């Protein structure tokens, strides 16, 4: 029977949950405690230094943030030249799959809860100075009915792509990408008038706000703001074009409408931060 050893502990494979890039995620059962875990296996071809480094960063962060309730819990890991095993708490389903199944019957209360939990998760990484910059529903999973963030967009993005890339759902989608991320023209080591590196963090954090706004929009309207534009180049142009007005059909809750409009503001400076969104009346209002 298919058994995987991680740091001397045995896990039996129950099923393959998903795969993407050169990583696979299995649902496993620990031999001793008979507990359910998610085991992420990453094949490191040719000991790709960049990939190794990016996974080291991801592991360090997961370990550092594991006390935060909105971040997935890393139980154990094993890192070698050829592969990485991450043993993490297992969610019941990811948000992308969940939304596909339930997109037309999400109650306002559920939408409110999921929005609050996504904000809290991204607030944690922003406070740690991390910008995900590729947020999409597949990055969130339900653990006991509440949402947790499963990755920080560090490792997968840099994942070496000379392996058979079997698309994980939503990998490489533009539907959640912000205008400034598409236009990212600023040189990597841009400096300000004092010759100091420009703090890109603030700007980048706002890109995560745009992505979250696209997820909220898809919960309300059943599709992301630019999903109907199939041609990738036309989609990119529409996202960046201030004269392309995003369609906001009227809804009952004006506060929710206001949040979506604010998150999907093309002008980065006028787009709210996570902090401001956590204090927005839509989140604060008592039910
Ligand atoms: C569909 N589905 C998902 C679960 N649960 C689950 N999926 C995880 N990754 C999935 C890989 C494929 C894309 C969607 C996320 C992880 C995880 C990582 N990385 C750490 N814990 C997890 N739990 C149960 N059904």
């Amino acid at each position: 029977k298919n058994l995987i050893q991680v740091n001397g502990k045995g896990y039996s494979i129950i099923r393959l949950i998903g795969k993407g890039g050169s990583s696979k995620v299995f649902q496993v059962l620990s031999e001793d405690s008979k507990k359910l875990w998610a085991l992420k296996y990453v094949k490191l071809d040719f000991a790709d230094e960049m990939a190794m480094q990016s996974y080291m960063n991801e592991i360090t962060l997961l370990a550092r943030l594991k006390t935060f309730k909105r971040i997935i819990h890393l139980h154990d890991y094993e890192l070698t030249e050829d592969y990485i095993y991450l043993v993490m708490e297992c969610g019941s389903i990811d948000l992308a799959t969940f939304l596909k199944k339930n997109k037309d019957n999400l109650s306002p209360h559920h939408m409110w809860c999921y929005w609050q939990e996504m904000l809290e998760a991204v607030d944690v990484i922003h406070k740690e100075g991390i910008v995900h910059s590729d947020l999409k529903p597949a990055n969130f999973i339900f653990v006991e009915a509440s949402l947790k963030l499963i990755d920080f967009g560090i490792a997968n993005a840099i994942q070496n792509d000379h392996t058979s890339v079997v698309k994980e759902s939503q990998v490489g989608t533009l539907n959640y990408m912000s205008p400034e991320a598409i236009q990212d023209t600023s040189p990597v080591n841009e400096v300000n008038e004092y010759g100091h590196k420009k703090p890109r963090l603030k700007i980048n954090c706002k890109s995560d706000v745009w992505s979250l706004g696209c997820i909220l929009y898809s919960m309300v309207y059943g599709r992301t703001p630019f999903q109907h534009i199939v041609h990738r180049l036309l989609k990119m142009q529409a996202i960046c074009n201030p004269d392309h007005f995003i369609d906001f059909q009227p809804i009952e809750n004006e506060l929710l409408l206001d949040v979506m409009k604010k998150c999907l503001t093309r002008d980065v400076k006028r787009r709210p931060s996570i902090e401001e969104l956590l204090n927005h009346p839509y989140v604060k209002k008592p039910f």
Side-chain angles (χ1 to χ4, degrees):
K1 63 188 166 112
N2 25 27
L3 212 58
I4 295 184
Q5 290 270 341
V6 179
N7 278 339
K9 292 193 199 73
Y11 298 88
S12 45
I13 294 177
I14 296 174
R15 68 182 177 106
L16 177 71
I17 295 178
K19 60 179 169 183
S22 48
S23 64
K24 289 190 175 104
V25 180
F26 298 98
Q27 189 175 51
V28 298
L29 196 71
S30 59
E31 287 295 274
D32 49 5
S33 63
K34 296 298 174 208
K35 267 189 175 179
L36 261 190
W37 299 99
L39 194 148
K40 182 166 186 176
Y41 159 71
V42 183
K43 194 168 166 10
L44 290 175
D45 299 351
F46 320 110
D48 174 333
E49 280 311 303
M50 277 283 279
M52 176 77 91
Q53 190 50 51
S54 64
Y55 269 94
M56 293 284 280
N57 297 344
E58 187 106 4
I59 291 169
T60 313
L61 271 172
L62 273 169
R64 209 165 87 204
L65 303 181
K66 70 183 191 180
T67 54
F68 290 92
K69 62 180 174 178
R70 292 276 169 259
I71 307 292
I72 197 79
H73 180 85
L74 175 68
H75 175 65
D76 200 352
Y77 69 90
E78 190 173 298
L79 181 63
T80 71
E81 273 261 291
D82 316 314
Y83 64 83
I84 299 171
Y85 288 144
L86 299 176
V87 182
M88 298 173 273
E89 65 183 323
C90 191
S92 52
I93 189 171
D94 70 290
L95 184 59
T97 312
F98 178 82
L99 290 180
K100 262 182 233 135
K101 288 182 179 169
N102 301 283
K103 73 176 177 178
D104 303 326
N105 52 8
L106 271 187
S107 75
H109 175 70
H110 281 117
M111 244 178 259
W112 179 77
C113 291
Y114 303 155
W115 178 242
Q116 173 135 6
E117 289 163 359
M118 287 191 284
L119 288 178
E120 287 167 355
V122 179
D123 187 41
V124 168
I125 64 169
H126 283 185
K127 286 196 166 125
E128 294 290 325
I130 301 135
V131 181
H132 192 289
S133 71
D134 186 24
L135 280 175
K136 51 201 173 302
N139 298 118
F140 294 94
I141 54 160
F142 285 97
V143 178
E144 278 121 43
S146 62
L147 284 172
K148 294 199 174 196
L149 185 61
I150 54 174
D151 74 85
F152 311 119
I154 303 173
N156 306 343
I158 309 172
Q159 193 51 45
N160 39 35
D161 58 3
H162 45 250
T163 56
S164 63
V165 179
V166 176
K167 289 275 168 236
E168 195 169 292
S169 59
Q170 301 185 325
V171 166
T173 176
L174 288 170
N175 287 323
Y176 305 89
M177 190 173 265
S178 64
E180 68 274 7
I182 290 172
Q183 291 165 330
D184 188 358
T185 48
S186 50
V188 175
N189 43 15
E190 186 183 18
V191 291
N192 60 19
E193 55 275 24
Y194 310 104
H196 302 150
K197 257 171 74 71
K198 213 166 174 85
R200 301 269 312 272
L201 179 67
K202 193 147 173 42
I203 300 287
N204 294 348
C205 282
K206 298 290 185 79
S207 300
D208 285 343
V209 169
W210 175 280
S211 305
L212 288 176
C214 294
I215 297 176
L216 183 60
Y217 185 101
S218 73
M219 286 189 191
V220 174
Y221 297 115
R223 68 165 175 86
T224 52
F226 302 92
Q227 194 168 320
H228 56 297
I229 303 174
V230 182
H231 191 295
R232 275 176 82 84
L233 190 63
L234 294 178
K235 191 195 290 271
M236 289 167 88
Q237 287 170 337
I239 292 169
C240 300
N241 177 4
D243 302 331
H244 177 286
F245 294 104
I246 294 168
D247 178 25
F248 292 99
Q249 289 297 313
I251 55 169
E252 195 189 314
N253 187 331
E254 292 103 43
L255 291 175
L256 174 52
L257 187 61
D258 182 61
V259 170
M260 287 190 286
K261 288 183 176 175
K262 285 196 164 94
C263 291
L264 296 170
T265 301
R266 289 188 173 90
D267 177 354
V268 180
K269 292 187 177 42
R270 286 182 32 245
R271 201 183 304 156
S273 64
I274 294 285
E275 194 77 42
E276 287 160 345
L277 288 166
L278 282 166
N279 292 311
H280 188 283
Y282 170 64
V283 171
K284 284 284 168 206
K285 79 180 187 303
F287 249 81

